[in-house]
Amino acid sequence: MSIEVRGITKRFGDFVALDDFNVLLPSGQLTALLGPSGGGKSTLLRIIAGLDRADAGSVSIEGVDATGLPAQKRDVGFVFQHYAVFKHLTVAKNVAFGLEIRAHGGLRPPWAAQRRADRARIDRRVAELLELVHLSQFADRLPSQLSGGQRQRMALARALAVEPKVLLLDEPFGALDAKVRKELREWLRRLHDEVHVTTVFVTHDQEEALEVADEIVVINDGRVEQIGTPDRLYDEPANDFVMGFLGDVTRVNGQLVRPHDIDISRVPLLAGAVEGTVARLLRVGFEVRATVLTDDGEEVLVQLTRTHARAVGLEEGVTVWLTPVTGAATVPALPSMRSAG
Amino acid sequence: MVELSTPVRWGLRLLAIGYVFFLIAWPVGLVVKHTFTGGLGVLADTLTDESVAGALRLTAMVATWAVLINLVFGVTISVLLVRYEFPGKRVLSALIDLPLSVSPVVVGLALLLVYNGRTGWFGPTAEGAGLTVIFDSPGMVMATCFVALPLVIREVVPVLVEIGDDQEQAARSLGAGAVQTFRRITLPSIKWAVVYGVVLSLARSLGEFGAVKIVSGNITGRTQTATLLVEAKYQNFQQETAYATSFLLILVSIACLVVVAFLRPRAAR
């Protein structure tokens, strides 16, 4: 039981958004589709939801082939980057929308028993959901009276109301400011631990993916670069692209390595250490960034804590020796390194 | 804003006020004045005149049908133009603006060519089936529809573009079908634009003259609308009746404008 995407190809004119794309997203997990803008991740999400149609390939959701199904029959909850709130409906009515559509008594007169029973059930469920997203006191407001973060929480409650088989979020926090974004992603993680619905979210923010997801699918140029847990992706990147996209990289001795994974000392302690001169020191809060020009002509960025830098005795102009720390993730640098943007 | 010197500012105001006064306010005011020169009696006589009452009823009937038809087709075409891609879309969009630029008389003639009962391209077939188009109400409704066609569409299209299809997609993903999505999400979002378009169409339909004159045959008591009656009465030296009927038409237009003025701030919200 899961989302299975097989051989999906999607073109927009000459642009190939997805090229024979295959991925299996396991049930009950929180999966991030991570990649640069225009890499095809949003297109994939919209194809899974049935909002876009693939040129070729198939999608099955929890064992049901959904390739030919329209969006309203796929049983997926979708959360949009710009909330897509129903502007003319109150918060409670927004959340109730999916339930009202599904209610059996919808076409019966207001006094029919079935309809009254539905109404009571929907009201109860809406109250529960508003409680879950901490919007109970805003039930009778219009969306225009809510902040961005509140609107997105409302949109999430609306999507969860119909108890979808999967929840899809397209850059859900992309339109929010940095602080709210951070709060909401922690909240999403906790929410997922409570409701356990299979959740897939699209993001281009590696920190967001690393922090929230159980599993990350790195997508670039319409293809999967790597799939794995956040730890695995960070520690064992499959290639230079994944390494570059998940964090800062620098180049020492023909190897790509993370700037905080470099051992710096003023005496040659280890064999194979690279000799260089500190060209620039920059302090940002607790962190010191040293730019070292090696004798081979490489410009290496080293990150270390302020305490560490002081202990080593780093100053501009001093000679230092650099070695990647043991166990650091390294990837051979290709002659033409692909863009990590 | 650019600061203007006092004389320039007053000059511009005078120009604007003078222009509107001599072009609109004075002539319309004179019609009202002439209506009441003989007291309220003329207006009362006009209203009891069988030919006037008949013409007003006919105008109301033709305008109502034209507005209803334009409402249904206008909203449908707007949704089609904004939400769907199809071959010939740009041609359709251009054709919709045609009634604004073509003289209504030409519209009348064109309809006459297609639907007249003797030599028309489609007319004899229609008459064979028992439907008289030209010199009868169907033709008049058609002519009125034609001239008022763009008004609903040109109001609704920008609003549809502005609201985007996010909300509709959200409704779909929540299980709503096409009809439910339209009724519960799209229609409430465009409703003020629709009302605005309907009011404009109504005003335009009530005042239509050229196209209707040609297709109606202007038969007194049968196919003579209020505007045609005004012309006929005026030429028949029954100026009082012509002025009084004009006054009633002005009254309806003002009512339309008032409705629009009340709606505009709501639509902007």
Side-chain angles (χ1 to χ4, degrees):
Chain A
M1 298 290 264
S2 54
I3 303 172
E4 205 176 338
V5 172
R6 252 175 284 126
I8 290 285
T9 297
K10 175 76 180 174
R11 287 187 195 84
F12 296 103
D14 288 340
F15 178 68
V16 181
L18 292 169
D19 184 17
D20 192 19
F21 195 97
N22 296 286
V23 73
L24 188 85
L25 305 169
S27 269
Q29 287 204 347
L30 186 52
T31 309
L33 304 181
L34 175 68
S37 308
K41 54 198 189 320
S42 281
T43 309
L44 176 66
L45 201 72
R46 294 176 58 85
I47 287 172
I48 295 173
L51 297 173
D52 275 345
R53 214 156 264 281
D55 300 325
S58 69
V59 175
S60 79
I61 298 171
E62 305 282 315
V64 180
D65 181 22
T67 316
L69 284 181
Q72 67 263 35
K73 300 231 167 91
R74 290 200 182 190
D75 225 354
V76 297
F78 201 94
V79 174
F80 297 79
Q81 182 178 0
H82 297 288
Y83 329 127
V85 296
F86 302 141
K87 292 195 184 104
H88 60 290
L89 299 177
T90 62
V91 171
K93 281 281 177 194
N94 260 277
V95 176
F97 186 87
L99 297 168
E100 283 176 0
I101 291 287
R102 275 151 218 240
H104 300 294
L107 288 172
R108 291 163 212 234
W111 56 85
Q114 171 77 62
R115 183 143 160 187
R116 269 185 292 129
D118 278 340
R119 189 73 258 160
R121 182 177 54 81
I122 291 171
D123 287 347
R124 261 200 318 279
R125 179 95 180 107
V126 168
E128 265 171 42
L129 282 157
L130 289 179
E131 187 73 32
L132 185 71
V133 299
H134 310 300
L135 286 175
S136 299
Q137 69 271 42
F138 300 109
D140 297 320
R141 298 227 188 146
L142 283 175
S144 56
Q145 295 167 296
L146 300 184
S147 71
Q150 289 169 334
R151 280 184 218 182
Q152 197 58 299
R153 294 211 305 267
M154 184 197 85
L156 207 58
R158 185 177 70 182
L160 286 171
V162 295
E163 292 175 23
K165 284 191 282 196
V166 295
L167 181 62
L168 307 174
L169 304 100
D170 188 6
E171 303 249 7
F173 314 131
L176 302 168
D177 64 59
K179 189 165 170 289
V180 179
R181 190 153 67 214
K182 227 170 156 69
E183 279 169 21
L184 266 192
R185 70 190 189 216
E186 280 163 23
W187 176 82
L188 174 68
R189 182 64 244 185
R190 283 202 306 276
L191 183 80
H192 183 263
D193 294 341
E194 273 177 55
V195 279
H196 283 302
V197 60
T198 307
T199 306
V200 183
F201 77 103
V202 158
T203 179
H204 60 255
D205 180 346
Q206 83 285 356
E207 201 184 310
E208 193 168 292
L210 289 171
E211 191 180 315
V212 177
D214 295 317
E215 188 167 80
I216 300 177
V217 180
V218 181
I219 298 175
N220 182 40
D221 279 342
R223 284 174 291 110
V224 175
E225 296 279 355
Q226 193 177 2
I227 304 178
T229 61
D231 286 353
R232 186 146 165 254
L233 256 57
Y234 197 82
D235 295 338
E236 300 160 45
N239 54 39
D240 56 333
F241 176 82
V242 175
M243 178 135 187
F245 200 78
L246 256 60
D248 293 333
V249 283
T250 189
R251 194 179 145 141
V252 184
N253 224 354
Q255 296 270 314
L256 292 181
V257 63
R258 304 218 182 275
H260 57 77
D261 275 348
I262 296 176
D263 213 20
I264 189 164
S265 67
R266 293 191 56 184
V267 280
L269 292 173
L270 295 161
V274 182
E275 193 180 342
T277 333
V278 177
R280 208 161 50 244
L281 275 181
L282 177 69
R283 190 189 155 196
V284 184
F286 67 90
E287 166 192 327
V288 173
R289 296 177 194 163
T291 311
V292 178
L293 279 178
T294 67
D295 297 351
D296 306 337
E298 281 177 331
E299 198 180 283
V300 185
L301 182 72
V302 184
Q303 271 176 318
L304 58 173
T305 61
R306 170 149 175 74
T307 333
H308 190 184
R310 206 177 275 163
V312 175
L314 280 193
E315 271 168 55
E316 286 185 6
V318 300
T319 306
V320 290
W321 278 264
L322 307 172
T323 24
V325 298
T326 30
T330 55
V331 166
L334 299 171
S336 61
M337 196 184 138
R338 278 187 284 166
S339 152
Chain B
M1 221 171 96
V2 186
E3 279 294 321
L4 295 172
S5 65
T6 312
V8 174
R9 205 160 58 226
W10 279 101
L12 282 175
R13 282 179 196 175
L14 216 61
L15 188 73
I17 291 168
Y19 183 77
V20 172
F21 178 77
F22 285 106
L23 206 62
I24 300 168
W26 198 14
V28 172
L30 278 182
V31 170
V32 178
K33 182 171 166 265
H34 274 86
T35 308
F36 293 105
T37 30
L40 282 171
V42 179
L43 196 60
D45 287 347
T46 309
L47 279 176
T48 48
D49 183 335
E50 194 40 51
S51 67
V52 175
L56 287 172
R57 270 201 303 275
L58 184 65
T59 296
M61 188 273 282
V62 168
T64 307
W65 277 112
V67 167
L68 281 178
I69 292 168
N70 272 340
L71 172 65
V72 172
F73 280 94
V75 172
T76 313
I77 292 172
S78 303
V79 171
L80 205 63
L81 279 178
V82 177
R83 294 284 184 262
Y84 298 92
E85 286 300 326
F86 52 91
K89 179 170 156 172
R90 295 180 61 161
V91 177
L92 180 66
S93 181
L95 273 177
I96 284 163
D97 280 334
L98 197 67
L100 285 179
S101 48
V102 169
S103 162
V105 178
V106 177
V107 173
L109 272 177
L111 287 176
L112 204 63
L113 280 176
V114 178
Y115 295 105
N116 86 67
R118 278 178 294 120
T119 56
W121 173 77
F122 188 63
T125 325
E127 264 180 26
L131 180 75
T132 322
V133 177
I134 299 300
F135 306 138
D136 207 346
S137 343
M140 295 156 75
V141 173
M142 276 167 87
T144 313
C145 274
F146 191 121
V147 296
L149 173 77
L151 297 169
V152 169
I153 297 170
R154 291 300 158 213
E155 285 304 318
V156 173
V157 162
V159 177
L160 273 178
V161 172
E162 194 204 314
I163 60 168
D165 60 353
D166 269 18
Q167 297 183 51
E168 289 162 21
Q169 287 184 358
R172 287 303 187 91
S173 78
L174 289 168
V179 178
Q180 283 170 316
T181 304
F182 178 76
R183 205 168 54 80
R184 286 169 175 258
I185 302 302
T186 315
L187 202 53
S189 315
I190 61 171
K191 89 182 150 192
W192 292 116
V194 170
V195 172
Y196 195 47
V198 162
V199 172
L200 287 177
S201 299
L202 184 66
R204 181 75 185 81
S205 304
L206 290 172
E208 179 43 34
F209 176 78
V212 168
K213 183 169 186 185
I214 293 194
V215 296
S216 71
N218 202 359
I219 307 159
T220 311
R222 219 164 66 73
T223 63
Q224 196 172 49
T225 62
T227 46
L228 300 181
L229 178 109
V230 170
E231 193 211 23
K233 293 286 180 195
Y234 188 80
Q235 285 171 347
N236 261 345
F237 305 105
Q238 290 175 280
Q239 271 94 342
E240 279 86 13
T241 319
Y243 289 135
T245 313
S246 303
F247 172 73
L248 290 172
L249 286 172
I250 291 170
L251 221 55
V252 176
S253 306
I254 289 175
C256 286
L257 286 180
V258 168
V259 171
V260 167
F262 269 102
L263 291 182
R264 215 199 278 269
R266 291 198 212 187
R269 250 198 320 222

